[in-house]
Amino acid sequence: MSKTDSTFSWTVYEADKLTQREIYGIVLKDLGARHPEIVGLSADLAKSTKIGTFGDAYPDRFFNFGIAEQNMFGVAAGLAQAGLTPFVSTFSAFASMRACEFVRTDICYQNLNVKIIATHGGISFGSAGTTHHATEDYAIVRAFPNLTVIVPADAIETAQAVKKCMEIDGPVYIRIGRGFEPGVYTAEDYEFEVGKAIEMRSGTDLAIIATGATVYHAVQAADILKAESGISARVLNMHTLKPLDEEAVLKAVAETRRLITVEDHNVINGLGSAVADVIAASGKGCAFTKLGLPDRFSPHGYPEDLMHKFHVDTDGIVDKVRELLNREFEEAEDWEDEV
Amino acid sequence: MPLTDQELKELQQQAKSIRREIVDVTGWSGGAHIGGSLSMTDILTLLYWKYMRLDPARPDWEDRDRFVLSKGHGGVGHAVVLAQRGFFDREVLHKFNETDSMLGMHLDCHKVPGCETSTGSMGHGLSQAVGMALGARVLKKDWRVYCVIGDGESNEGSIWEAAMSAAHYKLDNLIVFQDRNHMMIDGPTEEVMSLEPLADKWRAFGFETREVDGHDMTRLAEAIDEALRMKGKPFMILCDTVKGKGVDFMENKPDWHYGGLSSELVEKAKQSIGE
Ligand SMILES: Cc1ncc(C[n+]2csc(CCOP(=O)(O)OP(=O)(O)O)c2C)c(N)n1
């Protein structure tokens, strides 16, 4: 089965086999054919991030800056000032931290049309260890005004996000993994709208809100909980961290009263904190837990082992849900009326 | 002191043994930064077996010389050097990259004895080396700081910020080696982001600079001897090296920046290095 949009040069069959990075490179190459204003930038990671696929197709519109991320993001700002649409790719750790102020001041402050594709996010670069893990990027980039922050769940959603970000006139940060994460979607036949969470499973006992690589595990966990214990868990794929779909969170608060967030990011100031802000402002009592990496530097190790160790995989979610369902919390008298 | 023939023979043998084990670890671990580890092997061998003041039994010995691997992705090469020099059991190398092992791709100084500081993000190590050299001055200590930086790594502005400060503070206790293997990940350095004229740049930044064949230990030793006598200036030994040195099918191939080896290829690689 080929994708319906025949101008794109990959098929759904391949999407199963291609990593997020490979898909992103191919989609960007295809976009490049229609958008002569797209330029590509990398910092000695053209091959690793796969933006090189675009570079091979349009060598005149691709620039490698060597290992110099700060300069690269500054140049991207200048290219955007000149009227072009730069796509800039490096590892998440370097996009969010090494080049932090260049992204914030040169790109976000000036609200420039720069699309950042930050690969190897979270702990997906496992054995490379702390220097190459990006477990604080949500916290950092979420605090930049004007920036849209998207964390696709898998390769297919990465394709959606890369295409959709062209419709946004302003900076976008798309965080993807290294590419060995399991797929969530089998086709692009679903509505992907920036800023709108996707309900992967309906449910009323509790809501699991996940983003990026943890969406797969949240769905698995919900299916296990249903099959084993008849628990009805709603799963939300919160692919856009900013602007956050507050409506979906409030709906989950009203309809389930128990929420759990999951992310491969420090529990401080990531998805969980964003959701907590919404819950706190709602004035409703509910049981809530954040699953994420503890506030210490993540060690090296295989990504699946680290996900397991820090309880952000299927097992971790299942255990936490059972605990959350037994937790007491104070409800207001008039709670029922408001549902 | 110049190398004697006997010393040279022993050091060369040591370097071979290190290269062979780097190949082994690359095989065991499923993948490692082998190219840039092989290119810096001769430099590290000379430092760890002839020049550095160290005691493997006391990695925290206050008066030790410091070594900073600014190009931290050479962790596999550094790990083999530390193991063979006796800082830890060579058995540990079998678990390179594994969850809960002591050794990840980039060495963690909290876990690895002999590793002074955790590097891996390019362009951080040289600044820290400057700090250690400056620290020695404040504390009136006579330890020296040796630092290895990459050529691709030197695209980073921070390398040149560190260089400026080293010259400004006249850090003659800092000796920097640039592993000039002419390759980075995306290809040859001069194609990705040209660095030349590199020696002129170092001179312009205030470093006493020598260009040597980074695989010729006799020449390397002469340059280090000169650096040890240097007063009032930091010293740069610009080492002309070959990425993948010693393994014929890897030499000068950017693909071997990072790679895995089947047991067959491990054997081929070791044959190429020799006994
Ligand atoms: C700040 C930063 N950007 C990118 C990387 C990814 N990276 C790891 S090694 C490398 C190439 C290093 O080239 P070079 O310094 O020449 O090392 P060598 O060829 O000696 O291995 C890159 C880009 C990194 N580790 N840190």
Side-chain angles (χ1 to χ4, degrees), chain B residues 124-183:
Chain B
H124 290 242
L126 185 55
S127 299
Q128 297 181 58
V130 166
M132 292 174 192
L134 203 52
R137 176 181 298 172
V138 174
L139 297 170
K140 300 197 170 30
K141 292 285 185 183
D142 66 350
W143 74 62
R144 291 184 187 274
V145 184
Y146 297 92
C147 180
V148 171
I149 64 174
D151 48 4
E153 182 186 15
S154 302
N155 295 157
E156 290 286 5
S158 57
I159 287 289
W160 301 98
E161 295 173 27
M164 242 184 302
S165 63
H168 181 81
Y169 288 108
K170 303 184 171 47
L171 297 177
D172 50 23
N173 54 352
L174 175 67
I175 302 176
V176 185
F177 298 80
Q178 185 161 36
D179 184 1
R180 181 71 173 118
N181 58 28
H182 304 269
M183 296 285 156

Side-chain angles (χ1 to χ4, degrees), chain A residues 44 69 94 132, chain B residues 71 73 120 122 151-153 181 183 243:
Chain A
D44 197 31
E69 295 79 8
F94 309 136
H132 285 61
Chain B
K71 45 169 275 190
H73 61 280
M122 309 261 81
D151 48 4
E153 182 186 15
N181 58 28
M183 296 285 156
K243 198 154 176 171

Side-chain angles (χ1 to χ4, degrees), chain B residues 223-257:
Chain B
I224 298 172
D225 287 338
E226 214 188 322
L228 292 173
R229 291 190 299 267
M230 188 71 215
K231 290 276 173 266
K233 264 176 137 186
F235 209 97
M236 162 56 66
I237 302 178
L238 185 42
C239 305
D240 191 15
T241 57
V242 173
K243 198 154 176 171
K245 176 72 181 178
V247 178
D248 49 11
F249 62 90
M250 290 185 189
E251 289 190 357
N252 288 316
K253 300 250 172 27
D255 310 33
W256 283 104
H257 173 77

Side-chain angles (χ1 to χ4, degrees), chain A residues 197-230:
Chain A
I198 296 168
E199 192 173 271
M200 310 294 297
R201 294 286 184 272
S202 57
T204 48
D205 292 336
L206 86 155
I208 308 170
I209 304 179
T211 194
T214 59
V215 172
Y216 168 84
H217 294 286
V219 171
Q220 295 287 110
D223 291 349
I224 290 172
L225 288 159
K226 159 112 356 132
E228 284 183 0
S229 319

